[in-house]
Amino acid sequence: MEYGLWNSDLDEFYKGEIDVNQVETIQTALKVTLPESYIKLMHKRNGFYLTKKYYPVSTPNSWANNSVHVDSLYGLGENPGILDNPYLRTEWGIRSKKIIIISAEPPTFICLDYRKKKNPSVIFIDVDENQEIKLAENFEDFLEGLVEEIAEETLSDILSEQQIQDYYKKIDAVILSGKPAEIDRLLTKILSTNNELIRYLVEKMRRHEKPKVHFNLLLLLICCAEGLNKGMLEDEYLLEVLNEFSTSKNKDVKEFAVICLEKYNSRL
């Protein structure tokens, strides 16, 4: 049971080989019996970035209209790992100890849900949106449902005018008082809305005072420079922003912008 879920290279989520005693210790700490399919998987690879990062859903959410994003799976360990649960639940206001987080991209989480039965279902939780979506009846079904790609259906098809205006207000509020990580999370959400909202947030991030916000924005702009996300940003505007960042006083931003310009120029 591997499902082609990971690359051969080890990454920060890998927590090393496990044994029976470690499994028992962790189950005692979490006060649950972990699914046998999860334990078997961890014996093969104890935590990893996923190669199949999408799970199809029929419920619109902050990621997209037809899927949720799953970046990684926690291994038996911590920092990052399944033993981070007590901290994450406290930090993000997830009260039930019968919800075990197995993947985290705060404020969204993929969790084992033990609230109704000992064999847990798998759910998606978005704390900011107060949303919960059941993904699968069990962990093995969840693994089987993961896919490498899902054709994008954006939230713009279903957003009302009031929802759009609410997004504008949220952008203004987060840009004004949010930390760079919060702004980056908002950008991920906005990418599933429409180009007008995306362009509005990009311009706000461009004008932000913190270089970290500029660097996070460049993670999107390099995709645009390579010709992806067609129609999202006009080339003339993209070139203007990249040229501006290429003269940044921040070394990381400057170097990243130069790389983006090289990608942009090689595409033309």
Side-chain angles (χ1 to χ4, degrees), residues 185-202:
R185 288 197 297 268
L186 179 60
L187 177 61
T188 299
K189 290 185 179 182
I190 295 299
L191 289 176
S192 297
T193 58
N194 61 46
N195 285 343
E196 287 72 22
L197 284 168
I198 293 169
R199 291 165 186 161
Y200 184 77
L201 178 54
V202 167

Side-chain angles (χ1 to χ4, degrees), residues 19-265:
D19 56 34
V20 173
N21 291 334
Q22 185 178 1
V23 172
E24 291 180 354
T25 299
I26 289 176
Q27 289 186 131
T28 299
L30 296 176
K31 297 181 180 179
V32 297
T33 299
L34 293 167
E36 183 178 350
S37 54
Y38 171 82
I39 294 172
K40 286 182 177 179
L41 182 63
M42 293 304 114
H43 274 292
K44 293 182 178 182
R45 177 79 159 221
N46 187 23
F48 49 87
Y49 275 112
L50 284 157
T51 56
K52 298 179 179 180
K53 295 179 178 291
Y54 303 95
Y55 195 92
V57 298
S58 58
T59 305
N61 58 85
S62 59
W63 172 257
N65 190 20
N66 62 337
S67 68
V68 297
H69 185 255
V70 192
D71 188 57
S72 58
L73 278 180
Y74 277 165
L76 294 167
E78 58 186 334
N79 297 324
I82 201 168
L83 286 175
D84 295 344
N85 262 269
Y87 161 76
L88 287 172
R89 286 196 300 252
T90 300
E91 180 74 10
W92 291 94
I94 300 174
R95 296 182 178 180
S96 178
K97 294 181 179 179
K98 293 184 177 182
I99 291 177
I100 303 298
I101 298 165
I102 57 173
S103 181
E105 292 181 89
T108 63
F109 304 89
I110 306 298
C111 311
L112 299 174
D113 184 4
Y114 289 85
R115 289 174 297 181
K116 294 182 179 180
K117 54 183 181 178
K118 292 183 179 180
N119 184 24
S121 58
V122 181
I123 61 173
F124 164 89
I125 294 177
D126 186 327
V127 174
D128 281 358
E129 300 298 329
N130 193 28
Q131 184 180 39
E132 180 180 312
I133 302 172
K134 182 177 179 178
L135 303 180
E137 287 292 339
N138 54 62
F139 182 73
E140 189 161 358
D141 286 350
F142 168 71
L143 293 181
E144 291 177 346
L146 289 167
V147 296
E148 292 182 4
E149 186 177 1
I150 293 180
E152 184 177 5
E153 294 179 10
T154 67
L155 290 174
S156 60
D157 297 330
I158 59 171
L159 288 176
S160 67
E161 183 60 33
Q162 183 58 55
Q163 288 173 315
I164 291 172
Q165 293 306 314
D166 288 343
Y167 268 115
Y168 278 118
K169 292 178 181 177
K170 188 167 187 176
I171 290 171
D172 289 341
V174 173
I175 286 291
L176 181 63
S177 58
K179 297 178 181 178
E182 294 175 281
I183 297 173
D184 191 43
R185 288 197 297 268
L186 179 60
L187 177 61
T188 299
K189 290 185 179 182
I190 295 299
L191 289 176
S192 297
T193 58
N194 61 46
N195 285 343
E196 287 72 22
L197 284 168
I198 293 169
R199 291 165 186 161
Y200 184 77
L201 178 54
V202 167
E203 182 62 17
K204 291 284 186 179
M205 293 176 72
R206 172 192 183 184
R207 302 298 180 189
H208 202 277
E209 61 181 8
K210 294 186 177 180
K212 181 61 176 176
V213 174
H214 299 163
F215 188 89
N216 289 341
L217 175 56
L218 284 166
L219 294 170
L220 168 65
L221 299 186
I222 194 171
C223 295
C224 297
E226 291 174 336
L228 304 176
N229 305 321
K230 292 182 178 179
M232 182 181 293
L233 300 174
E234 295 180 355
D235 277 350
E236 183 178 351
Y237 175 78
L238 174 62
L239 182 59
E240 178 184 323
V241 178
L242 293 178
N243 280 328
E244 181 179 301
F245 284 168
S246 71
T247 62
S248 173
K249 295 180 180 179
N250 181 273
K251 181 175 178 290
D252 292 335
V253 171
K254 181 177 181 177
E255 291 179 352
F256 198 176
V258 170
I259 293 172
C260 292
L261 282 169
E262 291 173 354
K263 298 286 187 183
Y264 176 89
N265 290 326

